[in-house]
């Protein structure tokens, strides 16, 4: 794409700067080294300086240049002793940006550290920081920072809300990979270092991705990502030995199966020497896995891990495993229990290059869930948390929903697995258990729409994800304001308006959708819009278990599914008891009467009425706020968001009317404020 719109360029706008950097002084930039990453650095600096300052830098290896970008052992004595000491304590991806002796020096221990440092440097220039006073030391808190694409070879994206795939179309890998390169730039600019390039649900033709039928083109994709510091992973079909290998079995304990995978892996590494490994969804939602052969997850994961280990590859094994045709007559089949029940007994039995990828909640990316009790529960097994940037249950990038506050809550949750302070943030950073590998993954929200994310404001979730997992100490509003300044400009009017819209959006969405943690009131399969009784475990009940007397799921040890027992104390007791369970999760853990009084002082039924009326009004306020920016936001972006907000208003109205009508008729209890309920 030669002419890129503002929406296409996301947060790498590189707008013309009023304060020029002098070409005579800074026209030469020393970039020491010629690896693919160093070449990416030169390309990015050229793009940025031409757009921001209207001159093209000249690259040199002269260390006397005013801007020097080099691995620390190439700098000779340019750095002060203090900065030299700081570099020694950096991880491989950490960097220093220092203004010393009239030079700007960007350094670290690796080429990718330099790349991250350059993107940080360009970010600071865009938001107006003085080039002469930079003094930055930065490194990631999480070692594995991953994106999962749910793209299919036919060009569709499972849970894709921003057009079709940028990787595939009409059953083929795209020939023009320029947009993939731009995507790599955006991901690298926020510190993402790994990507799985296809859907975890691997069907028919995609099974061949691990063969020479597709590896030459996948190699091209991997080379693009490598030049921006990302390792490429492939999602696999566990039954590949049968589907494409000519074997009669995929039993992970079968010697022929083991040998088949070893040959397959060797061929992949022949094409892609720095291949990351496999992402696996097995024995869930009708996907094949080791259960077929009376084996367990460790058997399946370890077999693949043994094939990958000689090459340094990893197996990322998803823990989204449950019986999708379960029946509530058996209390032990509570879907919320499934991941813990399957994996906790296997702790310590997985190979060291296996990482368990665990959804942040025990169900499926609902707007409000407790944190999965499996996170941190396995002391001897590598773990990473899985988020969903794609707004599957949170508005599908039609409705505005800024997700960073939700993820902040998850990361700050204290599991007490090793006493107070055992937060998810520390667990996935490898600070609580001696994990060799750990980190965070998320389902991507991009497609081939001009603005990448359908709703331009949904770009904040992709940007925010990268920034948050690099540094979880960043506040949600701080990230939002940073994204706004880079995407639009630093004007107070835009910052205040858009940041307030983003920061309010999650609670607004929750207000007019499923209340108090109950979830699953959405249209089945599509997951947008209300369908209160749409999801059923069986003929015995829906996910919310509403009847004429009350609502909610009893997950207590005393009378329910005993899900609360999967938590450590004091969390188990807090969730077990009605008087200590947080209001926002009460219907996830308890079945209560409609007149039960919450800590807020409202009854359950009145809370439902009030929040759904309020949520609709709040969407109307979002529309009014956005309208105030019509003359200060570019026309395409303004119209895109305006159209989405109008659709959100219709959605909020439908939720308000259906939820309130349903529960008024179910309970027979009128609204205390006597508002119209049909």
């Amino acid at each position: 794409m030669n002419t890129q719109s503002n929406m296409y360029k996301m947060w790498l706008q590189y707008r013309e700067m009023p304060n020029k950097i002098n070409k005579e002084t800074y026209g030469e930039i020393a970039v020491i080294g010629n690896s693919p990453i160093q070449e990416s650095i030169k390309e990015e600096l050229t793009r940025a300086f031409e757009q921001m300052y209207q001159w093209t830098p000249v690259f040199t290896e002269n260390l006397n240049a005013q801007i020097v970008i080099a691995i620390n052992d190439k700098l000779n004595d340019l750095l002060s002793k203090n900065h030299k000491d700081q570099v020694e304590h950096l991880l491989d991806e950490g960097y220093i940006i220092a203004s010393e002796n009239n030079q700007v020096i960007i350094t670290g221990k690796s080429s990718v550290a330099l790349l991250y440092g350059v993107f940080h440097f360009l970010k600071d220039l865009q938001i107006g920081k003085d080039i002469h006073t930079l003094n930055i030391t930065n490194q990631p808190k999480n070692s594995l920072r991953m994106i999962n694409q749910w793209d299919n070879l036919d060009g569709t994206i499972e849970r894709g809300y921003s057009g079709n795939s940028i990787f595939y179309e009409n059953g083929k890998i795209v020939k023009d990979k320029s947009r993939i390169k731009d995507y790599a730039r955006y991901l690298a600019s926020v510190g993402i270092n790994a990507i799985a390039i296809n859907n975890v649900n691997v069907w028919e033709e995609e099974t061949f991705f691990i063969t020479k039928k597709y590896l030459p083109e996948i190699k091209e994709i991997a080379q693009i990502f490598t030049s921006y510091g990302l390792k490429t992973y492939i999602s696999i079909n566990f039954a590949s030995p049968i589907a494409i290998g000519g074997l009669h079995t995929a039993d992970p304990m079968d010697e022929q199966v083991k040998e088949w995978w070893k040959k397959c892996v060797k061929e992949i590494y022949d094409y892609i020497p720095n291949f990351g490994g496999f992402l696996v969804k097995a024995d869930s939602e009708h996907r094949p896995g080791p259960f077929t052969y009376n084996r367990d997850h460790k058997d399946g994961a370890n077999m693949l891990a043994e094939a990958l280990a000689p090459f340094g590859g990893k197996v990322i094994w998803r823990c989204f495993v449950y019986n999708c045709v379960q029946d509530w007559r058996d209390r032990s089949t509570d879907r919320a229990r499934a991941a813990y029940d399957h994996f906790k007994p296997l702790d310590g039995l997985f190979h060291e290059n296996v990482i368990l990828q665990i959804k942040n909640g025990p169900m499926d990316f609902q707007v409000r869930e407790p944190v999965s009790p499996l996170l941190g529960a396995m002391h001897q097994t590598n773990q990473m948390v899985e988020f969903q940037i794609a707004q599957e249950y949170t508005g599908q990038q039609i409705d505005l929903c800024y997700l960073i506050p939700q993820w902040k809550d998850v990361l700050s949750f204290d599991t007490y697995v090793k006493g107070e302070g055992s937060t998810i943030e520390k667990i996935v950073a490898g600070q609580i258990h001696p994990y060799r590998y750990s980190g965070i993954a998320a389902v991507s929200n991009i497609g081939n729409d001009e603005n990448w994310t359908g709703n331009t404001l949904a770009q904040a979730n992709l940007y925010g994800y990268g920034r948050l997992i690099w540094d979880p100490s960043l506040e949600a509003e701080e990230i939002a304001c940073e994204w706004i300044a880079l995407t639009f400009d630093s004007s107070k009017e835009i910052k205040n308006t858009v940041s307030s819209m983003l920061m309010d959006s999650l609670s607004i969405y929750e207000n007019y959708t499923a209340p108090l943690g109950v979830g699953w009131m959405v249209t089945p399969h599509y997951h947008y819009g209300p369908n209160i009784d749409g999801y059923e475990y069986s003929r015995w009940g829906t996910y919310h278990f509403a009847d004429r007397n009350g609502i909610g799921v009893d997950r207590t040890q005393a009378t329910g599914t005993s899900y609360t027992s999967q938590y450590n104390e004091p969390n188990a007791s807090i969730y077990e008891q009605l008087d200590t369970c947080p209001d926002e999760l009460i219907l996830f853990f308890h079945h209560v009467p409609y007149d039960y009084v919450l800590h807020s002082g409202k009854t359950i039924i009145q809370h439902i009425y009030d929040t759904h009326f309020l949520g609709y009004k709040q969407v109307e306020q979002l529309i009014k706020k956005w309208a105030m920016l019509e003359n200060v936001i570019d026309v395409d972006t303004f119209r895109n968001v305006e159209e989405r907000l109008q659709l959100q208003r219709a959605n909020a109205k439908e939720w308000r009317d259906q939820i309130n009508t349903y529960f008024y008729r179910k309970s027979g209890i009128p609204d205390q404020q006597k508002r119209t309920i049909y």
Side-chain angles (χ1 to χ4, degrees):
M1 181 169 294
N2 296 321
T3 303
Q4 296 177 352
S5 70
N6 289 344
M7 293 193 299
Y8 182 92
K9 292 189 286 187
M10 294 211 276
W11 52 85
L12 298 182
Q13 296 288 329
Y14 299 141
R15 288 185 171 84
E16 184 174 350
M17 300 297 291
N19 299 319
K20 301 290 185 184
I21 288 180
N22 187 289
K23 179 181 180 180
E24 284 67 37
T25 304
Y26 292 100
E28 280 195 346
I29 300 176
V31 178
I32 310 302
N34 57 4
S35 74
I37 290 179
Q38 267 100 346
E39 292 306 309
S40 295
I41 288 171
K42 293 175 185 177
E43 286 183 19
E44 200 66 31
L45 288 168
T46 299
R47 181 194 303 259
F49 276 65
E50 285 180 348
Q51 293 182 29
M52 290 193 293
Y53 307 118
Q54 290 76 59
W55 52 263
T56 302
V58 174
F59 296 104
T60 178
E61 294 199 358
N62 181 1
L63 292 178
N64 292 320
Q66 295 301 110
I67 300 175
V68 178
I69 301 162
I71 295 172
N72 63 308
D73 62 7
K74 304 293 185 184
L75 288 176
N76 297 329
D77 295 321
L78 290 184
L79 279 181
S80 67
K81 183 180 184 306
N82 179 47
H83 281 129
K84 285 181 181 178
D85 292 341
Q86 289 177 337
V87 172
E88 289 303 314
H89 291 93
L90 287 177
L91 302 172
D92 282 347
E93 294 178 308
Y95 56 86
I96 284 176
I97 307 173
S99 297
E100 289 189 350
N101 301 319
N102 295 317
Q103 284 183 302
V104 175
I105 300 169
I106 302 175
T107 190
K109 295 179 178 178
S110 67
S111 296
V112 74
L114 305 184
L115 179 71
Y116 295 147
V118 166
F119 275 118
H120 191 143
F121 172 65
L122 294 175
K123 172 174 68 71
D124 283 356
L125 292 183
Q126 287 179 86
I127 61 179
K129 289 194 177 180
D130 186 349
I131 194 172
H132 303 99
T133 59
L134 299 175
N135 186 13
I136 298 156
T137 302
N138 203 342
Q139 63 183 354
K141 301 299 191 299
N142 294 292
S143 59
L144 187 55
R145 306 177 302 280
M146 190 172 193
I147 285 284
N148 291 174
Q149 299 297 135
W150 281 6
D151 297 41
N152 304 309
L153 192 60
D154 64 2
T156 62
I157 303 173
E158 185 167 343
R159 308 309 176 190
Y161 311 112
S162 313
N164 288 331
S165 174
I166 68 168
F167 294 88
Y168 319 110
E169 61 182 0
N170 301 321
K172 297 179 180 179
I173 295 173
V174 296
K175 294 298 182 184
D176 180 359
K177 297 179 176 62
S178 58
R179 186 153 186 172
I180 296 175
K181 182 174 181 178
D182 280 330
Y183 187 40
R185 292 175 51 238
Y186 297 130
L187 295 180
S189 74
V190 291
I192 304 298
N193 66 0
I195 182 169
I197 61 171
N198 61 309
N199 192 359
V200 293
N201 291 315
V202 181
W203 305 102
E204 299 181 1
E205 187 64 18
E206 286 92 334
T207 304
F208 288 93
F209 274 17
I210 55 177
T211 72
K212 59 185 178 182
K213 181 175 182 179
Y214 289 100
L215 283 173
E217 287 187 277
I218 290 176
K219 175 183 177 179
E220 294 177 23
I221 294 173
Q223 287 173 332
I224 291 170
F225 284 118
T226 296
S227 68
Y228 286 92
L230 289 93
K231 280 188 177 289
T232 298
Y233 288 71
I234 296 175
S235 297
I236 63 163
N237 178 351
F238 190 82
S240 293
I242 300 172
I244 62 175
L247 300 183
H248 69 280
T249 180
D251 183 351
M253 306 304 287
D254 185 283
E255 291 302 320
Q256 283 187 302
V257 171
K258 292 180 180 180
E259 286 304 311
W260 187 89
W261 278 109
K262 288 177 181 177
K263 290 178 181 177
C264 173
V265 166
K266 182 182 183 305
E267 184 172 46
I268 294 172
Y269 278 93
D270 285 343
Y271 280 95
I272 310 170
N274 66 340
F275 179 63
F278 295 143
L279 175 63
V280 189
K281 177 178 179 178
D283 288 312
S284 185
E285 298 181 327
H286 307 294
R287 302 311 299 137
F291 287 4
T292 303
Y293 309 98
N294 295 316
R295 312 299 186 187
D296 59 28
H297 293 287
K298 72 148 185 343
D299 297 325
N302 288 346
M303 179 268 295
L304 294 170
E306 288 169 9
L308 288 160
F311 306 94
K314 304 178 186 68
V315 176
I316 300 177
W317 192 273
R318 294 180 84 240
C319 296
F320 185 57
V321 175
Y322 69 101
N323 179 0
C324 59
V325 292
Q326 61 191 356
D327 193 320
W328 270 72
R329 286 174 293 185
D330 180 354
R331 294 195 324 177
S332 68
T333 59
D334 180 1
R335 175 170 170 175
R337 292 181 54 103
Y340 189 101
D341 286 345
H342 279 297
F343 288 92
K344 173 62 175 174
L346 302 177
D347 189 20
L349 302 178
F350 290 91
H351 289 346
E352 65 178 7
N353 60 329
V354 175
I355 310 169
L356 299 185
Q357 183 169 300
I358 304 164
K359 288 190 177 186
N360 62 269
M363 298 297 274
D364 192 15
F365 301 127
Q366 301 298 295
V367 67
R368 177 74 68 171
E369 293 182 60
V371 173
S372 171
L374 185 60
L375 286 163
M378 301 179 74
H379 298 211
Q380 302 174 70
T381 306
N382 301 321
Q383 293 188 340
M384 60 193 300
V385 66
E386 179 183 352
F387 294 135
Q388 189 179 48
I389 311 173
Q391 295 171 227
E392 179 178 353
Y393 295 95
T394 52
Q396 300 192 358
Q397 284 140 246
I398 297 170
D399 299 27
L400 180 62
C401 194
Y402 181 55
L403 295 170
I404 280 67
Q406 182 190 73
W407 301 334
K408 288 280 293 182
D409 287 346
V410 171
L411 293 173
S412 66
F413 178 77
D414 197 339
T415 67
Y416 292 91
V417 68
K418 280 196 172 181
E420 188 174 2
S422 302
T423 62
I424 302 297
E425 176 184 330
K426 292 180 180 178
I427 289 166
V428 297
Q431 297 173 3
I432 300 297
H433 304 312
Y435 295 156
R436 180 172 180 182
Y437 303 111
S438 58
I440 301 177
V443 181
S444 174
N445 68 338
I446 70 104
N448 68 356
D449 280 359
E450 172 69 13
N451 66 353
W452 297 87
T453 57
N455 185 333
T456 302
L457 296 188
Q459 293 175 7
N461 285 328
L462 180 59
Y463 179 87
Y465 168 72
R467 296 289 289 126
L468 181 66
I469 67 172
W470 179 282
D471 183 1
S473 71
L474 294 172
E475 295 299 328
E477 187 170 11
E478 178 183 1
I479 293 171
C481 289
E482 190 176 274
W483 174 78
I484 293 163
L486 295 171
T487 304
F488 301 113
D489 61 41
S490 299
S491 72
K492 188 174 182 180
E493 180 182 11
I494 294 176
K495 184 187 77 170
N496 290 347
T497 301
V498 178
S499 65
S500 70
M501 291 175 67
L502 291 174
M503 291 303 296
D504 292 342
S505 60
L506 178 62
S507 62
I508 292 172
Y509 186 84
E510 186 174 8
N511 279 342
Y512 64 77
T513 53
L516 301 172
V518 72
W520 296 104
M521 292 181 172
V522 293
T523 304
H525 309 299
Y526 184 50
H527 298 163
Y528 186 81
N531 188 330
I532 302 166
D533 286 334
Y535 271 100
E536 298 184 24
Y537 272 121
S538 70
R539 67 181 184 277
W540 297 95
T542 60
Y543 273 69
H544 54 75
F545 277 70
D547 56 28
R548 63 180 302 215
N549 299 313
I551 180 177
V553 184
D554 185 352
R555 290 190 164 100
T556 65
Q557 297 179 63
T559 57
T561 70
S562 291
Y563 169 73
T564 57
S565 67
Q566 294 183 342
Y567 290 90
N568 298 297
E569 292 294 352
N571 293 326
S573 294
I574 289 171
Y575 293 145
E576 177 79 10
Q577 303 300 323
L578 264 173
D579 60 347
T580 55
C581 185
D583 282 355
E584 63 270 19
L585 290 172
I586 195 164
L587 300 185
F588 190 95
F589 287 102
H590 297 274
H591 187 86
V592 293
Y594 292 109
D595 59 1
Y596 177 81
V597 179
L598 299 164
H599 295 100
S600 67
K602 292 184 179 183
T603 62
I604 292 282
I605 191 66
Q606 195 58 43
H607 173 93
I608 291 173
Y609 295 152
D610 287 351
T611 53
H612 286 79
F613 279 114
L614 174 62
Y616 176 75
K617 288 183 178 179
Q618 289 174 314
V619 174
E620 291 189 316
Q621 289 300 312
L622 290 177
I623 293 171
K624 290 178 181 178
K625 285 184 177 181
W626 186 251
M628 294 164 53
L629 300 178
E630 183 172 7
N631 296 321
V632 292
I633 297 284
D634 70 90
V635 173
D636 289 339
T637 300
F638 180 82
R639 288 177 178 170
N640 167 260
V641 175
E642 181 183 44
E643 290 169 0
R644 299 284 166 145
L645 289 171
Q646 293 296 337
L647 293 171
Q648 182 174 358
R649 175 163 59 184
N651 190 38
K653 183 179 185 298
E654 186 177 8
W655 274 97
R656 179 200 67 188
D657 293 346
Q658 287 201 30
I659 293 284
N660 285 344
T661 298
Y662 178 96
F663 286 106
Y664 171 61
R665 293 176 178 177
K666 185 76 78 171
S667 69
I669 301 172
D671 172 30
Q672 292 174 357
Q673 298 190 41
K674 303 185 186 306
R675 291 164 293 199
T676 300
I677 298 177
Y678 297 98

